[in-house]
Amino acid sequence: MNNVLPIMRKELKTYFNSPIAYVVIGVFLLISGWFMSTNLFLAGTADLRVLFQIAPLIFMFFAPAITMRLISEERKSGTIEWLVTMPIRDSEIIVGKFLAAVVLLATALAFTAPFGIVISFLGDIDEGPFIGGYLGLLLMGAAYLSIGLLGSSLTENQVVAFIVGLAISFLFFMFDKVLMYVPPVMGSVLQYLAIDYHFENIGRGVIDTRNILYYLSLIVVMLGASVAVLEGRKR
C-alpha cells in the first residue's frame, strides 16, 4: 500500500487547488449554520442535536458530489487506463482516493467546532452524545463516500456517477423508514442495513462495536466493489 499516500495527496491537491473543497465546506457550513442559528434564536435551544439531525441528510447529497469525479473523470480522460497499467494496485487507487475524500469531509466537520464552542458558553454540552455524534457523522460520511466512489467507478459521466451514488445512499437511508410496510423478519434485516439506524445509536453517546463494525463493513464492501469494477476493465 505504498502508493496510497501519494494518490491521497494528489487528490487533496486537486480538491484544494480548485473551488471544490471550498464550495463543499462553505455550503455545508452555511446550511448547518442556518439550522443551528434557527434552533438557537427561534426555538431558544442551545445544543448540537440539530446539527446531528441535519448533517446525515446533507452528507447523503454531498458525498456523491465529492466523489463523482474521482474515477469517472479518470475514465473519461483516459488516465485510468494509464493508472491501471502502472505498478499500482487497483486497491491502492481506490483507497487513496477514498482517504482524500474522507479528509475533505473531516475538514468540513472540523469547521463546525465553533458551533460547539458557542453552545458550551450558552449551555451544558453532554459529552457522550457530543463525542458519539461526531464519531457517528464521520463514520456515516465515510460510508456515504465509499458508496459514491462505487458510483464513480461505474461510469465516465460525472452526473450519472452522482445520481448512482445518491440513489444507493438514499436506499440505505430509507431502509429503516419502511419497516411498517414489510414483514417482521424482513424488517429486522432492513433495520440492520439502514445507515441512519446505526448513526442514531452512536449519536446517543453509546459507542457499540456492532454499529462501528456495520460502517466499517459497508465501507469495505463498497470499496471492494469499486476495486472489482476497476479490475474488470483489464479483462
Side-chain angles (χ1 to χ4, degrees):
M1 302 299 277
N2 295 332
N3 297 306
V4 169
L5 288 180
I7 292 172
M8 183 185 76
R9 285 196 291 266
K10 172 183 170 295
E11 292 300 333
L12 283 174
K13 285 182 181 177
T14 302
Y15 278 135
F16 286 97
N17 288 337
S18 70
I20 299 174
Y22 307 102
V23 170
V24 167
I25 294 173
V27 174
F28 173 69
L29 292 178
L30 189 65
I31 297 174
S32 56
W34 186 83
F35 278 97
M36 287 289 296
S37 59
T38 299
N39 187 60
L40 179 62
F41 294 112
L42 296 184
T45 304
D47 61 45
L48 288 168
R49 277 181 295 183
V50 67
L51 172 66
F52 299 143
Q53 290 169 353
I54 193 64
L57 284 172
I58 300 175
F59 282 174
M60 188 168 60
F61 289 90
F62 273 38
I66 291 173
T67 56
M68 64 182 187
R69 52 159 288 279
L70 288 178
I71 302 296
S72 61
E73 187 178 68
E74 304 267 18
R75 293 183 63 170
K76 187 175 183 179
S77 63
T79 52
I80 194 66
E81 310 294 348
W82 174 77
L83 266 179
V84 296
T85 58
M86 296 288 289
I88 304 173
R89 295 177 182 172
D90 294 337
S91 57
E92 292 175 326
I93 297 172
I94 293 297
V95 172
K97 289 176 178 290
F98 169 72
L99 290 179
V102 171
V103 170
L104 176 57
L105 183 135
T107 303
L109 270 180
F111 275 102
T112 64
F115 298 156
I117 295 173
V118 172
I119 297 300
S120 68
F121 280 111
L122 298 176
D124 295 327
I125 288 184
D126 192 337
E127 293 181 357
F130 175 78
I131 296 172
Y134 271 101
L135 175 63
L137 283 181
L138 186 60
L139 288 169
M140 172 188 272
Y144 277 141
L145 290 171
S146 68
I147 293 172
L149 193 55
L150 174 60
S152 182
S153 68
L154 291 172
T155 175
E156 63 180 33
N157 186 308
Q158 294 189 34
V159 176
V160 175
F162 173 81
I163 293 172
V164 171
L166 177 61
I168 300 175
S169 298
F170 183 73
L171 190 65
F172 276 91
F173 180 79
M174 287 300 296
F175 275 146
D176 64 340
K177 309 295 187 297
V178 297
L179 298 181
M180 65 180 72
Y181 305 109
V182 298
V185 175
M186 186 182 294
S188 60
V189 175
L190 291 180
Q191 186 179 53
Y192 181 77
L193 291 175
I195 200 166
D196 200 34
Y197 168 73
H198 296 275
F199 172 71
E200 290 175 359
N201 289 338
I202 298 176
R204 286 196 290 267
V206 180
I207 311 299
D208 191 325
T209 53
R210 288 173 296 184
N211 299 312
I212 295 175
L213 281 176
Y214 163 82
Y215 284 119
L216 296 180
S217 301
L218 181 58
I219 291 169
V220 169
V221 168
M222 292 298 163
L223 295 185
S226 300
V227 172
V229 172
L230 277 190
E231 289 178 343
R233 292 179 59 81
K234 296 178 180 176
R235 300 178 187 137

